[in-house]
Amino acid sequence: MLLPLLLLACLAPSSFSSVQLTSLPKLSYLSVEEPSTILVSPDKSFSAGFYRVGTNAFSFSVWFSNSGNKTIAWTANRDFPVNGYRSKLTLRSDGVMALTDADGTAIWSSATTSSGADHVRLLDTGNLVVEDPNGRILWQSFDFPTDTLLPSQPITKNIKLISAMARGSSSSGYYEFHFDDSNVLRLTYNGPTVSSVYWPDPDRTVWKNGRTIYNSTRHGVLDETGLFFSSDRLRFATSDSGSSRIKRRITLEYDGNLRVYSLDDQTGLWTISWQALPETCQIHGLCGQNGICSSYPKAHCSCPPGFELMEPSNWVSGCQPRFNLTCQMKDEELEFMRLPFTDFWGFDYNATGGTSLNECKNRCLSDCNCQGFSYKQRRGFCYPKSVFFNGRASPYSDIYMKVPKSLAKANISEQNLVCPVDEIIPIGSSPGFTEKSTSSVVWVFFYSFLAVIFVVEVLFIAFGWWFVYRKDKDDRILMAEVYKVISGQFRRFSYKDLEKATRRFKEELGRGGSGVVYKGVLENGMVVAVKKLEEVKQGGEEFWGEVSVIGRIYHMNLVRTWGFCSESSHRLLVSEFISNGSLDKHLFDGHGWLKWEERFKIAVGVAKGLAYLHHECLEWVIHCDVKPENILLDSSFEPKIADFGLAKLLRRGGNGTNISRIRGTRGYLAPEWASNLPITGKVDVYSYGVVLLELVSGRRISGMVMEGEVEMETAVRRTRGVLREKVETGEKGWIEGLVDSGLKGEFDRRQAMRMVEVAVDCLEEERNKRPAMEAVVEMLLSVLGG
Ligand SMILES: *[C@@H]1O[C@H](CO)[C@@H](O)[C@H](O)[C@H]1NC(C)=O
Ligand SMILES: *[C@@H]1O[C@H](CO)[C@@H](O)[C@H](O)[C@H]1NC(C)=O
Ligand SMILES: *[C@@H]1O[C@H](CO)[C@@H](O)[C@H](O)[C@H]1NC(C)=O
Ligand SMILES: *[C@@H]1O[C@H](CO)[C@@H](O)[C@H](O)[C@H]1NC(C)=O
Ligand SMILES: *[C@@H]1O[C@H](CO)[C@@H](O)[C@H](O)[C@H]1NC(C)=O
């Protein structure tokens, strides 16, 4: 006979509230029909019971009691939900804990090894255990994790985490976290047709990745204070490490990333305190065969021209060609379609170095299995491929796909995958993030972004942290200082304050499309630039909302905004005063004033600033008016981009199509401004391309145009065409002819060539072909210092 615990529960006074048991004795059960009767840990931080996974489908799970939505830590039957009617979890007389469905069949059971079982308990660690009368553990859920490990729960030889299939789904997906045969902890995509390892970095050796294969203990665990250690020498600390009072979990997410989350007890929300891969597209399998992952402006997949989605709602299934390639086709019927700045990882055979592009093409043509190749110009690496998988943007490699000549130029279908974790707003992530410098990423989860002003304050605090950790470790001592500065700096000024600071708007620094800029001195002696914005139609609150976003953006290549004023019809912004004026003055008002090193530094700095503005999943900002006038130089010629965020701040969740069509400046405008296409960050990439050419040549793009009266747009297109040809043919001496003659030949040839190469790619008519600013930074940095 089973003890009718539930009846007892009904007799209790508060029969409608949840009944919390601390132990489930032998022969008793929990019923799906009473989901509010649950097992809790002694400190109540974990609960176990029936959890609804579908309309009438339930799983038996352990969850965090204090998380806003029940966050599951463990599930008994993740792939086999039970019915909402008559299903039970019972501790049977033979000591086995069994989950039975409506018809009484056992869907899941614990493999309890001894029959001495007496009761089931949920421990404070979140471990669900079957114990004998003396408290000896006979079976524990810690030995059978699903997609989550809890602190003190080890990953060992026989244990692996398997991701969920999709967000909110409980069933098993394709990603695995486990020790491989060489004793190394890895993340693997184990899909229906292929499997590949993507972490640690598969392009580097185990040692380069800081791991070892020599310890066969195969044991790894996150301790209560947020430190992780494993036998293969993977070590990391969560960004909040040190406190053992925070509830944490390591979860292998449905998007293939491994993350540590920390729970805020007050709000019930989770913060990411560590993650294995800084960039979504490093994860394999996301976009299926032939699909290309881009992280810009947020993670999404696209198909190459001439390909279409296999299943529109499911990117993992990849893209299929709209053409047929057969081995009977002659060389004349084939051509190669170039996908610049793209790579497909793996599945290559017979790679060679020192191969010219033509040789590589011929090798691929002569082999029917070859579907195309990846080509790295730098060392002439040629990688013929039989399959295209794991596609993503890459700064060093181009893809050449074999296609029939008849293939009409198809347009790239672009559909967005949601960002890896929609509901989480990262507020700082450093491109230089590595496994070891764990503190350099601080992600904070905000439920209602910018809804309350104190949230802005919190952002600054967190930003302060990020800023400090990004710098050298020695700088950490400054943390407290910076925190104070950053949290205290962004402020609201009164119109009177600013009138006084600028001595009634006396000294004009410049005039731009958005308003006039005046020099001012604040009460504390700080010199600032005060911009009077014209034509701001927004109401005070809306304006406040937007500028506080600008105000929280901090990057060394962006002009810092210190505060704002919004009074009746006045709208002013107070920002950093940059001593050396704007780039156009140095570049065009006197030849050769800027030395080559300075020009290159400016190119890199501006790219970094824009990359930061565009960064994946950051509340991204399109500048819309990148030009030398908006690039200011400090005393050491470090560039700082001004006026960002004025055009329009794109709110997360909003679509990119409704950006107001604020016009940039002729000559710097991407072609899509003229068409009806939505404006994306790629307009900035285009304008940046123009600026690069101007940096190299020291002349306005308009001045570079050889013949007279042509449309500016046509002129840029023509210039680009000429340069593309020169880059490709490698004609002798052309770069010397292009570089600013004022430099008198004192320039770095490699850097100049690279700048032109990048510019040519940035100026692609078709915006999808333009590289992301992050790729631009990498391309430029690769030629830094000889
Ligand atoms: C809980 O989940 C629902 C539905 O997925 C979501 O709308 C809500 O924002 C979540 N709440 C919290 C606090 O995470
Ligand atoms: C192997 O790893 C275990 C667990 O991390 C550790 O205790 C042990 O000292 C390691 N052995 C060697 C030889 O490093
Ligand atoms: C490709 O081949 C299949 C079967 O041979 C045929 O049905 C299809 O129409 C062909 N597609 C094209 C684009 O030629
Ligand atoms: C690899 O490429 C070289 C050079 O083209 C060729 O001689 C060789 O046969 C190729 N090997 C295979 C296995 O295809
Ligand atoms: C894609 O190309 C087709 C013709 O090939 C054209 O009709 C369609 O408008 C294009 N779509 C976009 C979004 O450019």
Side-chain angles (χ1 to χ4, degrees):
M1 270 298 290
L2 299 179
L3 192 68
L5 265 182
L6 300 165
L7 282 181
L8 288 180
C10 290
L11 295 176
S14 56
S15 61
F16 277 92
S17 67
S18 99
V19 178
Q20 303 190 336
L21 311 171
T22 51
S23 163
L24 186 70
K26 189 139 115 183
L27 299 183
S28 57
Y29 63 84
L30 293 175
S31 161
V32 74
E33 289 164 48
E34 282 290 334
S36 60
T37 301
I38 53 174
L39 201 56
V40 295
S41 59
D43 69 0
K44 299 209 166 22
S45 57
F46 287 95
S47 309
F50 283 94
Y51 178 88
R52 185 186 295 274
V53 293
T55 322
N56 192 34
F58 287 79
S59 65
F60 186 79
S61 301
V62 171
W63 62 85
F64 287 84
S65 312
N66 288 335
S67 58
N69 284 341
K70 290 179 185 174
T71 304
I72 303 285
W74 178 77
T75 294
N77 54 323
R78 68 188 298 196
D79 292 317
F80 306 99
V82 292
N83 200 293
Y85 179 59
R86 289 174 63 182
S87 298
K88 287 190 186 78
L89 180 93
T90 314
L91 182 58
R92 295 193 320 221
S93 59
D94 60 358
V96 171
M97 180 166 47
L99 179 63
T100 49
D101 207 345
D103 61 359
T105 52
I107 292 298
W108 172 88
S109 60
S110 69
T112 313
T113 46
S114 152
S115 60
D118 179 64
H119 56 263
V120 177
R121 282 206 307 142
L122 183 57
L123 307 183
D124 284 342
T125 50
N127 196 1
L128 185 73
V129 295
V130 177
E131 292 179 331
D132 72 5
N134 303 321
R136 216 160 46 89
I137 293 176
L138 305 176
W139 178 91
Q140 55 179 346
S141 64
F142 267 22
D143 290 340
F144 305 92
T146 49
D147 61 356
T148 297
L149 289 173
L150 297 171
S152 85
Q153 177 178 11
I155 180 155
T156 60
K157 172 157 118 351
N158 301 317
I159 287 179
K160 63 178 162 191
L161 297 189
I162 297 179
S163 66
M165 196 64 173
R167 177 207 299 284
S169 148
S170 65
S171 57
S172 309
Y174 297 132
Y175 294 102
E176 295 183 2
F177 176 56
H178 61 112
F179 278 105
D180 72 359
D181 292 342
S182 60
N183 304 321
V184 176
L185 267 177
R186 292 194 191 276
L187 291 173
T188 310
Y189 168 71
N190 197 3
T193 54
V194 299
S195 123
S196 73
V197 171
Y198 57 93
W199 182 83
D201 188 348
D203 289 329
R204 298 199 295 178
T205 63
V206 170
W207 290 272
K208 276 259 170 68
N209 280 313
R211 308 287 191 86
T212 175
I213 61 171
Y214 293 124
N215 189 337
S216 51
T217 316
R218 299 196 191 171
H219 185 276
V221 69
L222 180 72
D223 73 10
E224 303 289 345
T225 67
L227 301 175
F228 185 96
F229 294 100
S230 71
S231 54
D232 70 342
R233 289 212 209 113
L234 167 64
R235 307 226 134 144
F236 65 79
T238 58
S239 61
D240 56 3
S241 65
S243 166
S244 57
R245 292 181 46 208
I246 300 172
K247 290 277 171 216
R248 301 186 181 85
R249 64 185 162 100
I250 305 181
T251 300
L252 178 56
E253 286 287 4
Y254 69 96
D255 66 6
N257 213 338
L258 184 72
R259 302 190 177 91
V260 179
Y261 291 86
S262 302
L263 181 64
D264 181 337
D265 268 337
Q266 305 284 309
T267 58
L269 304 179
W270 294 94
T271 301
I272 297 179
S273 47
W274 179 83
Q275 65 175 346
L277 293 130
E279 216 211 312
T280 310
C281 290
Q282 291 170 331
I283 296 163
H284 287 177
L286 282 178
C287 297
Q289 190 166 345
N290 299 318
I292 301 167
C293 181
S294 332
S295 49
Y296 174 83
K298 59 183 189 173
H300 66 277
C301 301
S302 54
C303 292
F307 287 74
E308 64 197 358
L309 268 181
M310 205 95 91
E311 293 169 42
S313 58
N314 180 12
W315 276 102
V316 175
S317 63
C319 307
Q320 62 191 359
R322 286 199 217 121
F323 51 83
N324 291 327
L325 275 187
T326 62
C327 286
Q328 282 76 45
M329 290 175 92
K330 302 199 178 60
D331 290 1
E332 302 83 66
E333 298 173 68
L334 296 168
E335 67 176 357
F336 287 95
M337 173 173 71
R338 173 173 177 253
L339 304 176
F341 297 115
T342 307
D343 201 5
F344 284 91
W345 197 91
F347 305 99
D348 34 44
Y349 60 98
N350 209 359
T352 53
T355 312
S356 77
L357 182 55
N358 269 337
E359 270 174 76
C360 196
K361 283 183 180 173
N362 288 335
R363 271 178 59 195
C364 189
L365 281 177
S366 64
D367 180 353
C368 180
N369 285 325
C370 178
Q371 301 296 311
F373 56 91
S374 156
Y375 189 71
K376 300 194 176 172
Q377 199 125 30
R378 284 207 297 174
R379 285 157 141 194
F381 274 120
C382 169
Y383 302 88
K385 288 183 191 286
S386 50
V387 182
F388 289 114
F389 226 95
N390 303 323
R392 65 170 193 244
S394 155
Y396 305 119
S397 149
D398 292 341
I399 286 289
Y400 291 81
M401 284 184 150
K402 204 193 246 179
V403 297
K405 250 194 181 128
S406 55
L407 175 68
K409 205 166 167 59
N411 31 29
I412 298 181
S413 66
E414 203 176 343
Q415 280 171 33
N416 284 353
L417 261 189
V418 281
C419 249
V421 256
D422 263 356
E423 66 273 30
I424 289 163
I425 297 169
I427 61 150
S429 69
S430 145
F433 176 79
T434 63
E435 281 151 43
K436 283 189 194 120
S437 61
T438 50
S439 311
S440 60
V441 171
V442 181
W443 300 61
V444 172
F445 180 5
F446 283 106
Y447 188 48
S448 177
F449 186 53
L450 286 179
V452 213
I453 290 311
F454 86 83
V455 172
V456 176
E457 192 80 359
V458 175
L459 272 166
F460 286 130
I461 296 169
F463 227 74
W465 270 82
W466 167 72
F467 164 53
V468 169
Y469 281 121
R470 246 172 65 92
K471 300 177 73 180
D472 288 337
K473 294 202 162 52
D474 306 353
D475 284 358
R476 283 187 194 185
I477 289 153
L478 285 174
M479 215 262 314
E481 314 270 338
V482 173
Y483 155 73
K484 232 178 10 209
V485 172
I486 290 188
S487 64
Q489 281 294 358
F490 187 77
R491 51 179 279 213
R492 182 174 194 158
F493 293 89
S494 71
Y495 190 70
K496 246 171 120 183
D497 286 344
L498 297 183
E499 236 179 10
K500 197 169 147 211
T502 55
R503 292 180 294 151
R504 292 188 168 268
F505 303 100
K506 207 163 165 202
E507 193 177 339
E508 194 177 307
L509 290 173
R511 249 165 215 276
S514 52
V516 185
V517 187
Y518 302 90
K519 189 169 174 177
V521 182
L522 297 183
E523 263 169 10
N524 61 8
M526 187 161 73
V527 182
V528 293
V530 177
K531 174 168 231 166
K532 259 189 165 168
L533 296 173
E534 284 156 13
E535 291 182 45
V536 176
K537 305 229 165 50
Q538 284 162 333
E541 246 166 67
E542 205 182 330
F543 177 72
W544 190 337
E546 294 216 353
V547 292
S548 34
V549 176
I550 302 177
R552 82 181 163 90
I553 295 174
Y554 179 83
H555 186 275
M556 80 181 274
N557 297 113
L558 299 174
V559 172
R560 182 100 169 82
T561 303
W562 297 125
F564 69 101
C565 162
S566 168
E567 264 177 42
S568 57
S569 66
H570 301 297
R571 302 280 183 271
L572 296 94
L573 286 181
V574 180
S575 56
E576 201 179 355
F577 173 76
I578 312 291
S579 57
N580 239 337
S582 55
L583 175 61
D584 58 315
K585 306 238 160 46
H586 295 270
L587 204 51
F588 308 129
D589 296 358
H591 269 222
W593 285 13
L594 278 176
K595 292 204 289 275
W596 180 259
E597 298 81 75
E598 286 154 5
R599 293 179 194 226
F600 190 71
K601 182 163 145 184
I602 292 165
V604 173
V606 173
K608 281 182 177 170
L610 288 175
Y612 183 80
L613 286 181
H614 293 172
H615 193 279
E616 170 189 7
C617 287
L618 191 74
E619 181 160 355
W620 59 295
V621 172
I622 305 176
H623 191 295
C624 292
D625 199 10
V626 176
K627 57 180 175 180
E629 286 75 2
N630 280 334
I631 297 167
L632 306 182
L633 301 176
D634 75 3
S635 52
S636 55
F637 291 95
E638 191 64 56
K640 288 174 186 272
I641 303 170
D643 265 9
F644 57 86
L646 293 186
K648 170 78 183 170
L649 292 165
L650 282 185
R651 289 277 159 72
R652 280 185 57 76
N655 52 20
T657 55
N658 62 0
I659 182 162
S660 60
R661 295 202 159 251
I662 292 179
R663 285 279 166 172
T665 306
R666 298 207 59 206
Y668 300 86
L669 286 179
E672 58 263 30
W673 284 105
S675 65
N676 249 341
L677 289 175
I679 296 306
T680 67
K682 293 279 161 117
V683 301
D684 289 347
V685 178
Y686 183 94
S687 310
Y688 175 79
V690 177
V691 173
L692 267 188
L693 287 185
E694 294 182 336
L695 273 170
V696 172
S697 68
R699 275 178 291 163
R700 284 274 187 201
I701 192 97
S702 50
M704 262 178 266
V705 179
M706 295 122 222
E707 293 130 70
E709 292 290 304
V710 254
E711 274 277 287
M712 189 82 91
E713 288 72 25
T714 324
V716 176
R717 195 178 322 139
R718 205 179 291 170
T719 309
R720 177 181 172 273
V722 171
L723 292 175
R724 149 92 54 220
E725 207 180 301
K726 290 184 169 168
V727 168
E728 273 172 6
T729 57
E731 181 190 305
K732 272 214 159 72
W734 67 271
I735 191 77
E736 282 75 10
L738 181 71
V739 173
D740 194 340
S741 55
L743 288 168
K744 305 204 168 48
E746 283 181 23
F747 68 95
D748 182 314
R749 203 162 177 281
R750 269 179 63 221
Q751 292 178 354
M753 301 265 282
R754 177 53 59 93
M755 279 166 76
V756 177
E757 271 167 40
V758 173
V760 164
D761 284 313
C762 290
L763 292 173
E764 277 281 358
E765 295 278 293
E766 201 181 317
R767 62 202 167 124
N768 292 315
K769 290 191 181 161
R770 293 175 210 147
M773 288 312 301
E774 277 163 32
V776 168
V777 174
E778 285 182 62
M779 298 223 10
L780 293 177
L781 287 181
S782 66
V783 289
L784 186 68

